[in-house]
Amino acid sequence: MTVVKDDSGQEAVDDKGDMPGEGDAYVPSQRRLDRERHKRTRARRATAIAAVSTLVTAVVLYVVVVSAPGWERTKETFFDGHYAREAFPKVLEGLWLNIRLLLICGVLVLVLGMLIAIARTLRGPVFFPLRVLAAAYTDFFRGLPLIINLMIVVFGVPALRLQGVTVDPVWLGGAALTLTYSAYVAEVFRAGIESVHPSQRAAARSLGLSNRQALRHVVLPQAVRRQVPPLLNDLVSLQKDTGLVSIGGAIDAVRASDIIAQRALNYTPYIVAGLVFVALTIPMTRFTDWVTARMDRQRAQGGTT
């Protein structure tokens, strides 16, 4: 804003250049430039320190492991290149079974877990038996170790000799995984449903929605959105635990490595199978971290409830 004189000699205010988009371009202050320069310097220093500390830690661990008295024997037993090359294609072939189990069991776990969670949150005395059964289911399968559940289902069901019931260890192992993880996922969904404020349901009811419509269109969308990170963590755990179906004889990645290890009396195939599972798990874990951070930013900005 500048003060000018008109033709009559009177002072007048000239607003030219004060409107957005007019006049000179924005020039950051020297203080802001110094602050940004300081931030960049600190970021570079932090990166350099992290890189150096990581390198030093790796070198120390390498020296400690390599200088151990039994390193040569351990290297031959667990890190043999010949057996690693032999096991890798077999492990990848078995991994396809683990991936299929993850996809099928993951869908079943989400559906069954949601139904159990809804059953536990139903209101009214008429639903009391259903709530008790749902609570008993979650308490039992969350307390029962997964490995014992697998043994009971994989070995116990064929012993019953039921007509029309499969004895395939893959299907039985998948059923055991679904039973156990549905209990955990049901509690995740239930926590999400109960985290929705009762005023949300009351508002939906005041608009003419029935209890079922309020649950479907108002409560469940909010509950599921809030529980996405823990649900993804459960799926990551499920992906790793699919390897337990090998106890019934299913040829998955773990069983394929076990066959080679028992034949060669060398444990390198187990290392190969473990690294394959880690490589499969890391992207899912990083995706879970990204989703969690994104939802935290949205909550901080008021973008989600």
Side-chain angles (χ1 to χ4, degrees):
M1 179 181 295
T2 56
V3 179
V4 297
K5 293 184 177 181
D6 56 14
D7 295 338
S8 62
Q10 299 293 326
E11 291 184 351
V13 177
D14 183 10
D15 291 335
K16 183 178 181 181
D18 289 344
M19 298 300 292
E22 298 181 2
D24 297 335
Y26 167 74
V27 178
S29 64
Q30 186 62 37
R31 178 178 296 179
R32 179 168 184 175
L33 292 175
D34 293 340
R35 188 184 304 116
E36 293 178 350
R37 188 181 303 108
H38 178 65
K39 289 181 178 179
R40 290 193 296 267
T41 302
R42 289 185 59 185
R44 288 194 295 267
R45 185 185 300 114
T47 302
I49 293 174
V52 172
S53 63
T54 302
L55 180 61
V56 171
T57 302
V59 171
V60 171
L61 290 176
Y62 176 79
V63 171
V64 170
V65 172
V66 172
S67 60
W71 165 244
E72 291 300 328
R73 179 58 179 169
T74 302
K75 181 180 178 181
E76 295 176 0
T77 307
F78 289 90
F79 303 100
D80 190 291
H82 169 72
Y83 292 113
R85 289 188 295 271
E86 179 184 352
F88 186 68
K90 298 295 184 181
V91 169
L92 285 184
E93 184 179 349
L95 184 67
W96 174 234
L97 175 60
N98 297 106
I99 295 175
R100 284 181 291 170
L101 278 173
L102 171 64
L103 296 176
I104 297 174
C105 293
V107 174
L108 295 177
V109 163
L110 292 175
V111 173
L112 184 57
M114 175 65 76
L115 294 177
I116 296 171
I118 293 175
R120 290 204 64 182
T121 56
L122 290 176
R123 301 179 178 181
V126 69
F127 296 114
F128 177 76
L130 194 58
R131 291 197 299 269
V132 171
L133 289 175
Y137 178 92
T138 56
D139 291 343
F140 179 79
F141 282 104
R142 290 176 70 197
L144 183 68
L146 175 58
I147 188 69
I148 295 180
N149 185 20
L150 279 162
M151 290 180 178
I152 292 173
V153 175
V154 172
F155 300 125
V157 172
L160 295 175
R161 298 181 181 180
L162 298 174
Q163 294 294 327
V165 177
T166 182
V167 295
D168 189 337
V170 175
W171 289 101
L172 295 176
L177 290 172
T178 302
L179 290 173
T180 296
Y181 272 90
S182 295
Y184 288 98
V185 171
E187 287 300 284
V188 173
F189 279 132
R190 186 172 71 92
I193 292 173
E194 293 181 348
S195 69
V196 178
H197 198 275
S199 62
Q200 298 286 322
R201 191 188 297 265
R205 296 284 289 134
S206 67
L207 294 175
L209 274 67
S210 63
N211 281 325
R212 184 175 62 180
Q213 290 173 330
L215 179 67
R216 176 184 175 185
H217 298 290
V218 178
V219 178
L220 287 183
Q222 297 184 59
V224 173
R225 185 168 62 246
R226 293 177 179 182
Q227 300 304 105
V228 166
L231 288 174
L232 290 175
N233 282 325
D234 284 336
L235 290 179
V236 171
S237 298
L238 175 62
Q239 182 268 320
K240 294 182 295 182
D241 286 341
T242 55
L244 295 177
V245 300
S246 61
I247 65 173
I251 308 299
D252 69 328
V254 177
R255 183 60 178 167
S257 64
D258 183 64
I259 293 173
I260 300 176
Q262 296 297 328
R263 173 171 51 82
L265 298 178
N266 188 282
Y267 298 124
T268 302
Y270 292 138
I271 302 298
V272 174
L275 293 177
V276 168
F277 272 102
V278 169
L280 184 63
T281 302
I282 286 178
M284 297 177 63
T285 306
R286 295 286 77 81
F287 177 71
T288 302
D289 294 341
W290 177 81
V291 171
T292 303
R294 182 172 179 269
M295 295 188 68
D296 290 341
R297 290 194 300 268
Q298 289 180 341
R299 290 193 187 97
Q301 297 171 1
T304 184
T305 56

PDB file of all heavy atoms in Angstrom, residues 77-103:
ATOM      1  N   THR A  77      26.736 -75.779   8.125  1.00  0.00           N
ATOM      2  CA  THR A  77      25.453 -76.399   8.447  1.00  0.00           C
ATOM      3  C   THR A  77      24.268 -75.524   8.060  1.00  0.00           C
ATOM      4  O   THR A  77      23.222 -76.038   7.631  1.00  0.00           O
ATOM      5  CB  THR A  77      25.387 -76.713   9.957  1.00  0.00           C
ATOM      6  OG1 THR A  77      26.537 -77.484  10.323  1.00  0.00           O
ATOM      7  CG2 THR A  77      24.126 -77.487  10.301  1.00  0.00           C
ATOM      8  N   PHE A  78      24.415 -74.196   8.185  1.00  0.00           N
ATOM      9  CA  PHE A  78      23.284 -73.295   7.978  1.00  0.00           C
ATOM     10  C   PHE A  78      23.414 -72.408   6.737  1.00  0.00           C
ATOM     11  O   PHE A  78      22.397 -71.845   6.291  1.00  0.00           O
ATOM     12  CB  PHE A  78      23.106 -72.385   9.201  1.00  0.00           C
ATOM     13  CG  PHE A  78      22.578 -73.104  10.414  1.00  0.00           C
ATOM     14  CD1 PHE A  78      23.450 -73.677  11.327  1.00  0.00           C
ATOM     15  CD2 PHE A  78      21.212 -73.213  10.642  1.00  0.00           C
ATOM     16  CE1 PHE A  78      22.971 -74.337  12.449  1.00  0.00           C
ATOM     17  CE2 PHE A  78      20.724 -73.876  11.749  1.00  0.00           C
ATOM     18  CZ  PHE A  78      21.607 -74.441  12.660  1.00  0.00           C
ATOM     19  N   PHE A  79      24.590 -72.248   6.211  1.00  0.00           N
ATOM     20  CA  PHE A  79      24.784 -71.291   5.109  1.00  0.00           C
ATOM     21  C   PHE A  79      25.565 -71.929   3.960  1.00  0.00           C
ATOM     22  O   PHE A  79      26.491 -71.322   3.419  1.00  0.00           O
ATOM     23  CB  PHE A  79      25.521 -70.042   5.618  1.00  0.00           C
ATOM     24  CG  PHE A  79      24.823 -69.350   6.762  1.00  0.00           C
ATOM     25  CD1 PHE A  79      25.255 -69.553   8.065  1.00  0.00           C
ATOM     26  CD2 PHE A  79      23.739 -68.527   6.529  1.00  0.00           C
ATOM     27  CE1 PHE A  79      24.620 -68.940   9.125  1.00  0.00           C
ATOM     28  CE2 PHE A  79      23.100 -67.905   7.582  1.00  0.00           C
ATOM     29  CZ  PHE A  79      23.527 -68.106   8.879  1.00  0.00           C
ATOM     30  N   ASP A  80      25.176 -73.104   3.586  1.00  0.00           N
ATOM     31  CA  ASP A  80      25.829 -73.802   2.479  1.00  0.00           C
ATOM     32  C   ASP A  80      25.174 -73.382   1.168  1.00  0.00           C
ATOM     33  O   ASP A  80      23.964 -73.553   0.974  1.00  0.00           O
ATOM     34  CB  ASP A  80      25.715 -75.315   2.674  1.00  0.00           C
ATOM     35  CG  ASP A  80      26.587 -76.084   1.695  1.00  0.00           C
ATOM     36  OD1 ASP A  80      26.269 -76.062   0.477  1.00  0.00           O
ATOM     37  OD2 ASP A  80      27.561 -76.696   2.138  1.00  0.00           O
ATOM     38  N   GLY A  81      25.974 -72.836   0.264  1.00  0.00           N
ATOM     39  CA  GLY A  81      25.439 -72.331  -0.995  1.00  0.00           C
ATOM     40  C   GLY A  81      24.838 -73.423  -1.868  1.00  0.00           C
ATOM     41  O   GLY A  81      23.844 -73.189  -2.568  1.00  0.00           O
ATOM     42  N   HIS A  82      25.412 -74.607  -1.854  1.00  0.00           N
ATOM     43  CA  HIS A  82      24.905 -75.701  -2.682  1.00  0.00           C
ATOM     44  C   HIS A  82      23.480 -76.073  -2.271  1.00  0.00           C
ATOM     45  O   HIS A  82      22.582 -76.190  -3.124  1.00  0.00           O
ATOM     46  CB  HIS A  82      25.825 -76.914  -2.554  1.00  0.00           C
ATOM     47  CG  HIS A  82      25.266 -78.166  -3.156  1.00  0.00           C
ATOM     48  ND1 HIS A  82      25.162 -78.358  -4.534  1.00  0.00           N
ATOM     49  CD2 HIS A  82      24.745 -79.297  -2.570  1.00  0.00           C
ATOM     50  CE1 HIS A  82      24.613 -79.534  -4.764  1.00  0.00           C
ATOM     51  NE2 HIS A  82      24.354 -80.134  -3.598  1.00  0.00           N
ATOM     52  N   TYR A  83      23.261 -76.259  -1.005  1.00  0.00           N
ATOM     53  CA  TYR A  83      21.926 -76.641  -0.548  1.00  0.00           C
ATOM     54  C   TYR A  83      20.932 -75.476  -0.665  1.00  0.00           C
ATOM     55  O   TYR A  83      19.728 -75.698  -0.838  1.00  0.00           O
ATOM     56  CB  TYR A  83      21.984 -77.145   0.887  1.00  0.00           C
ATOM     57  CG  TYR A  83      22.728 -78.453   1.018  1.00  0.00           C
ATOM     58  CD1 TYR A  83      23.942 -78.525   1.690  1.00  0.00           C
ATOM     59  CD2 TYR A  83      22.215 -79.613   0.452  1.00  0.00           C
ATOM     60  CE1 TYR A  83      24.623 -79.731   1.804  1.00  0.00           C
ATOM     61  CE2 TYR A  83      22.901 -80.823   0.560  1.00  0.00           C
ATOM     62  CZ  TYR A  83      24.102 -80.870   1.231  1.00  0.00           C
ATOM     63  OH  TYR A  83      24.773 -82.067   1.335  1.00  0.00           O
ATOM     64  N   ALA A  84      21.433 -74.256  -0.572  1.00  0.00           N
ATOM     65  CA  ALA A  84      20.548 -73.096  -0.755  1.00  0.00           C
ATOM     66  C   ALA A  84      20.014 -73.056  -2.178  1.00  0.00           C
ATOM     67  O   ALA A  84      18.818 -72.821  -2.404  1.00  0.00           O
ATOM     68  CB  ALA A  84      21.305 -71.809  -0.418  1.00  0.00           C
ATOM     69  N   ARG A  85      20.902 -73.301  -3.162  1.00  0.00           N
ATOM     70  CA  ARG A  85      20.461 -73.314  -4.564  1.00  0.00           C
ATOM     71  C   ARG A  85      19.526 -74.482  -4.830  1.00  0.00           C
ATOM     72  O   ARG A  85      18.590 -74.367  -5.638  1.00  0.00           O
ATOM     73  CB  ARG A  85      21.675 -73.371  -5.484  1.00  0.00           C
ATOM     74  CG  ARG A  85      22.490 -72.080  -5.524  1.00  0.00           C
ATOM     75  CD  ARG A  85      23.566 -72.149  -6.597  1.00  0.00           C
ATOM     76  NE  ARG A  85      24.575 -73.175  -6.287  1.00  0.00           N
ATOM     77  CZ  ARG A  85      25.674 -72.955  -5.566  1.00  0.00           C
ATOM     78  NH1 ARG A  85      25.896 -71.741  -5.065  1.00  0.00           N
ATOM     79  NH2 ARG A  85      26.543 -73.912  -5.351  1.00  0.00           N
ATOM     80  N   GLU A  86      19.743 -75.582  -4.171  1.00  0.00           N
ATOM     81  CA  GLU A  86      18.871 -76.736  -4.356  1.00  0.00           C
ATOM     82  C   GLU A  86      17.499 -76.503  -3.731  1.00  0.00           C
ATOM     83  O   GLU A  86      16.460 -76.910  -4.287  1.00  0.00           O
ATOM     84  CB  GLU A  86      19.517 -77.982  -3.739  1.00  0.00           C
ATOM     85  CG  GLU A  86      18.660 -79.242  -3.857  1.00  0.00           C
ATOM     86  CD  GLU A  86      19.279 -80.436  -3.161  1.00  0.00           C
ATOM     87  OE1 GLU A  86      20.443 -80.328  -2.718  1.00  0.00           O
ATOM     88  OE2 GLU A  86      18.600 -81.486  -3.063  1.00  0.00           O
ATOM     89  N   ALA A  87      17.455 -75.851  -2.590  1.00  0.00           N
ATOM     90  CA  ALA A  87      16.198 -75.691  -1.865  1.00  0.00           C
ATOM     91  C   ALA A  87      15.349 -74.547  -2.395  1.00  0.00           C
ATOM     92  O   ALA A  87      14.118 -74.594  -2.295  1.00  0.00           O
ATOM     93  CB  ALA A  87      16.490 -75.456  -0.377  1.00  0.00           C
ATOM     94  N   PHE A  88      15.970 -73.542  -2.971  1.00  0.00           N
ATOM     95  CA  PHE A  88      15.232 -72.333  -3.332  1.00  0.00           C
ATOM     96  C   PHE A  88      14.046 -72.602  -4.267  1.00  0.00           C
ATOM     97  O   PHE A  88      12.920 -72.155  -3.990  1.00  0.00           O
ATOM     98  CB  PHE A  88      16.188 -71.316  -3.958  1.00  0.00           C
ATOM     99  CG  PHE A  88      15.542 -69.988  -4.232  1.00  0.00           C
ATOM    100  CD1 PHE A  88      15.141 -69.152  -3.196  1.00  0.00           C
ATOM    101  CD2 PHE A  88      15.321 -69.564  -5.541  1.00  0.00           C
ATOM    102  CE1 PHE A  88      14.545 -67.936  -3.455  1.00  0.00           C
ATOM    103  CE2 PHE A  88      14.726 -68.351  -5.799  1.00  0.00           C
ATOM    104  CZ  PHE A  88      14.340 -67.530  -4.750  1.00  0.00           C
ATOM    105  N   PRO A  89      14.204 -73.300  -5.385  1.00  0.00           N
ATOM    106  CA  PRO A  89      13.036 -73.538  -6.246  1.00  0.00           C
ATOM    107  C   PRO A  89      11.959 -74.379  -5.569  1.00  0.00           C
ATOM    108  O   PRO A  89      10.755 -74.150  -5.782  1.00  0.00           O
ATOM    109  CB  PRO A  89      13.626 -74.248  -7.467  1.00  0.00           C
ATOM    110  CG  PRO A  89      14.937 -74.788  -7.029  1.00  0.00           C
ATOM    111  CD  PRO A  89      15.438 -73.862  -5.979  1.00  0.00           C
ATOM    112  N   LYS A  90      12.353 -75.352  -4.756  1.00  0.00           N
ATOM    113  CA  LYS A  90      11.367 -76.175  -4.048  1.00  0.00           C
ATOM    114  C   LYS A  90      10.594 -75.342  -3.020  1.00  0.00           C
ATOM    115  O   LYS A  90       9.374 -75.507  -2.848  1.00  0.00           O
ATOM    116  CB  LYS A  90      12.054 -77.347  -3.360  1.00  0.00           C
ATOM    117  CG  LYS A  90      12.763 -78.307  -4.298  1.00  0.00           C
ATOM    118  CD  LYS A  90      11.771 -79.005  -5.217  1.00  0.00           C
ATOM    119  CE  LYS A  90      12.471 -80.032  -6.089  1.00  0.00           C
ATOM    120  NZ  LYS A  90      11.522 -80.726  -7.017  1.00  0.00           N
ATOM    121  N   VAL A  91      11.306 -74.450  -2.342  1.00  0.00           N
ATOM    122  CA  VAL A  91      10.655 -73.592  -1.356  1.00  0.00           C
ATOM    123  C   VAL A  91       9.677 -72.640  -2.040  1.00  0.00           C
ATOM    124  O   VAL A  91       8.562 -72.421  -1.551  1.00  0.00           O
ATOM    125  CB  VAL A  91      11.714 -72.816  -0.548  1.00  0.00           C
ATOM    126  CG1 VAL A  91      11.056 -71.721   0.293  1.00  0.00           C
ATOM    127  CG2 VAL A  91      12.500 -73.763   0.350  1.00  0.00           C
ATOM    128  N   LEU A  92      10.067 -72.084  -3.176  1.00  0.00           N
ATOM    129  CA  LEU A  92       9.155 -71.195  -3.904  1.00  0.00           C
ATOM    130  C   LEU A  92       7.919 -71.946  -4.379  1.00  0.00           C
ATOM    131  O   LEU A  92       6.807 -71.418  -4.360  1.00  0.00           O
ATOM    132  CB  LEU A  92       9.881 -70.576  -5.101  1.00  0.00           C
ATOM    133  CG  LEU A  92      10.888 -69.472  -4.800  1.00  0.00           C
ATOM    134  CD1 LEU A  92      11.438 -68.901  -6.109  1.00  0.00           C
ATOM    135  CD2 LEU A  92      10.261 -68.350  -3.975  1.00  0.00           C
ATOM    136  N   GLU A  93       8.105 -73.171  -4.810  1.00  0.00           N
ATOM    137  CA  GLU A  93       6.962 -73.974  -5.236  1.00  0.00           C
ATOM    138  C   GLU A  93       6.004 -74.223  -4.065  1.00  0.00           C
ATOM    139  O   GLU A  93       4.785 -74.145  -4.219  1.00  0.00           O
ATOM    140  CB  GLU A  93       7.456 -75.311  -5.807  1.00  0.00           C
ATOM    141  CG  GLU A  93       6.344 -76.188  -6.359  1.00  0.00           C
ATOM    142  CD  GLU A  93       6.879 -77.479  -6.941  1.00  0.00           C
ATOM    143  OE1 GLU A  93       8.117 -77.591  -7.108  1.00  0.00           O
ATOM    144  OE2 GLU A  93       6.071 -78.389  -7.227  1.00  0.00           O
ATOM    145  N   GLY A  94       6.558 -74.520  -2.901  1.00  0.00           N
ATOM    146  CA  GLY A  94       5.708 -74.713  -1.731  1.00  0.00           C
ATOM    147  C   GLY A  94       5.102 -73.422  -1.227  1.00  0.00           C
ATOM    148  O   GLY A  94       4.014 -73.427  -0.633  1.00  0.00           O
ATOM    149  N   LEU A  95       5.783 -72.285  -1.476  1.00  0.00           N
ATOM    150  CA  LEU A  95       5.268 -70.994  -1.013  1.00  0.00           C
ATOM    151  C   LEU A  95       3.938 -70.651  -1.678  1.00  0.00           C
ATOM    152  O   LEU A  95       3.121 -69.931  -1.088  1.00  0.00           O
ATOM    153  CB  LEU A  95       6.305 -69.901  -1.290  1.00  0.00           C
ATOM    154  CG  LEU A  95       5.961 -68.506  -0.777  1.00  0.00           C
ATOM    155  CD1 LEU A  95       5.945 -68.491   0.755  1.00  0.00           C
ATOM    156  CD2 LEU A  95       6.962 -67.480  -1.296  1.00  0.00           C
ATOM    157  N   TRP A  96       3.718 -71.146  -2.883  1.00  0.00           N
ATOM    158  CA  TRP A  96       2.453 -70.877  -3.564  1.00  0.00           C
ATOM    159  C   TRP A  96       1.285 -71.418  -2.751  1.00  0.00           C
ATOM    160  O   TRP A  96       0.212 -70.813  -2.715  1.00  0.00           O
ATOM    161  CB  TRP A  96       2.490 -71.475  -4.958  1.00  0.00           C
ATOM    162  CG  TRP A  96       1.198 -71.384  -5.720  1.00  0.00           C
ATOM    163  CD1 TRP A  96       0.522 -72.406  -6.311  1.00  0.00           C
ATOM    164  CD2 TRP A  96       0.429 -70.203  -5.982  1.00  0.00           C
ATOM    165  NE1 TRP A  96      -0.618 -71.946  -6.913  1.00  0.00           N
ATOM    166  CE2 TRP A  96      -0.710 -70.597  -6.738  1.00  0.00           C
ATOM    167  CE3 TRP A  96       0.580 -68.864  -5.658  1.00  0.00           C
ATOM    168  CZ2 TRP A  96      -1.678 -69.696  -7.155  1.00  0.00           C
ATOM    169  CZ3 TRP A  96      -0.386 -67.948  -6.070  1.00  0.00           C
ATOM    170  CH2 TRP A  96      -1.495 -68.377  -6.808  1.00  0.00           C
ATOM    171  N   LEU A  97       1.478 -72.541  -2.070  1.00  0.00           N
ATOM    172  CA  LEU A  97       0.433 -73.071  -1.197  1.00  0.00           C
ATOM    173  C   LEU A  97       0.187 -72.135  -0.023  1.00  0.00           C
ATOM    174  O   LEU A  97      -0.964 -71.893   0.361  1.00  0.00           O
ATOM    175  CB  LEU A  97       0.823 -74.462  -0.698  1.00  0.00           C
ATOM    176  CG  LEU A  97      -0.118 -75.103   0.338  1.00  0.00           C
ATOM    177  CD1 LEU A  97      -1.527 -75.253  -0.231  1.00  0.00           C
ATOM    178  CD2 LEU A  97       0.426 -76.444   0.798  1.00  0.00           C
ATOM    179  N   ASN A  98       1.247 -71.585   0.552  1.00  0.00           N
ATOM    180  CA  ASN A  98       1.082 -70.639   1.660  1.00  0.00           C
ATOM    181  C   ASN A  98       0.332 -69.385   1.222  1.00  0.00           C
ATOM    182  O   ASN A  98      -0.515 -68.861   1.960  1.00  0.00           O
ATOM    183  CB  ASN A  98       2.450 -70.246   2.219  1.00  0.00           C
ATOM    184  CG  ASN A  98       3.207 -71.422   2.807  1.00  0.00           C
ATOM    185  OD1 ASN A  98       4.159 -71.916   2.205  1.00  0.00           O
ATOM    186  ND2 ASN A  98       2.784 -71.882   3.975  1.00  0.00           N
ATOM    187  N   ILE A  99       0.612 -68.921   0.019  1.00  0.00           N
ATOM    188  CA  ILE A  99      -0.070 -67.725  -0.476  1.00  0.00           C
ATOM    189  C   ILE A  99      -1.550 -68.008  -0.696  1.00  0.00           C
ATOM    190  O   ILE A  99      -2.426 -67.191  -0.357  1.00  0.00           O
ATOM    191  CB  ILE A  99       0.607 -67.234  -1.765  1.00  0.00           C
ATOM    192  CG1 ILE A  99       2.031 -66.763  -1.473  1.00  0.00           C
ATOM    193  CG2 ILE A  99      -0.205 -66.103  -2.404  1.00  0.00           C
ATOM    194  CD1 ILE A  99       2.817 -66.363  -2.690  1.00  0.00           C
ATOM    195  N   ARG A 100      -1.867 -69.166  -1.270  1.00  0.00           N
ATOM    196  CA  ARG A 100      -3.272 -69.507  -1.470  1.00  0.00           C
ATOM    197  C   ARG A 100      -4.008 -69.647  -0.144  1.00  0.00           C
ATOM    198  O   ARG A 100      -5.162 -69.209   0.000  1.00  0.00           O
ATOM    199  CB  ARG A 100      -3.375 -70.805  -2.274  1.00  0.00           C
ATOM    200  CG  ARG A 100      -3.082 -70.634  -3.768  1.00  0.00           C
ATOM    201  CD  ARG A 100      -3.232 -71.955  -4.501  1.00  0.00           C
ATOM    202  NE  ARG A 100      -2.169 -72.881  -4.104  1.00  0.00           N
ATOM    203  CZ  ARG A 100      -2.151 -74.166  -4.421  1.00  0.00           C
ATOM    204  NH1 ARG A 100      -3.164 -74.705  -5.112  1.00  0.00           N
ATOM    205  NH2 ARG A 100      -1.153 -74.949  -4.051  1.00  0.00           N
ATOM    206  N   LEU A 101      -3.354 -70.250   0.832  1.00  0.00           N
ATOM    207  CA  LEU A 101      -3.968 -70.351   2.155  1.00  0.00           C
ATOM    208  C   LEU A 101      -4.207 -68.975   2.751  1.00  0.00           C
ATOM    209  O   LEU A 101      -5.254 -68.720   3.375  1.00  0.00           O
ATOM    210  CB  LEU A 101      -3.069 -71.168   3.088  1.00  0.00           C
ATOM    211  CG  LEU A 101      -3.168 -72.689   2.992  1.00  0.00           C
ATOM    212  CD1 LEU A 101      -2.084 -73.340   3.849  1.00  0.00           C
ATOM    213  CD2 LEU A 101      -4.541 -73.171   3.438  1.00  0.00           C
ATOM    214  N   LEU A 102      -3.248 -68.075   2.575  1.00  0.00           N
ATOM    215  CA  LEU A 102      -3.412 -66.712   3.097  1.00  0.00           C
ATOM    216  C   LEU A 102      -4.613 -66.024   2.470  1.00  0.00           C
ATOM    217  O   LEU A 102      -5.420 -65.392   3.173  1.00  0.00           O
ATOM    218  CB  LEU A 102      -2.139 -65.907   2.834  1.00  0.00           C
ATOM    219  CG  LEU A 102      -2.223 -64.406   3.136  1.00  0.00           C
ATOM    220  CD1 LEU A 102      -2.468 -64.167   4.616  1.00  0.00           C
ATOM    221  CD2 LEU A 102      -0.953 -63.702   2.673  1.00  0.00           C
ATOM    222  N   LEU A 103      -4.759 -66.134   1.160  1.00  0.00           N
ATOM    223  CA  LEU A 103      -5.858 -65.458   0.475  1.00  0.00           C
ATOM    224  C   LEU A 103      -7.212 -66.032   0.887  1.00  0.00           C
ATOM    225  O   LEU A 103      -8.153 -65.291   1.211  1.00  0.00           O
ATOM    226  CB  LEU A 103      -5.671 -65.564  -1.042  1.00  0.00           C
ATOM    227  CG  LEU A 103      -4.432 -64.862  -1.608  1.00  0.00           C
ATOM    228  CD1 LEU A 103      -4.317 -65.118  -3.108  1.00  0.00           C
ATOM    229  CD2 LEU A 103      -4.468 -63.366  -1.329  1.00  0.00           C
TER     230      LEU A 103
END
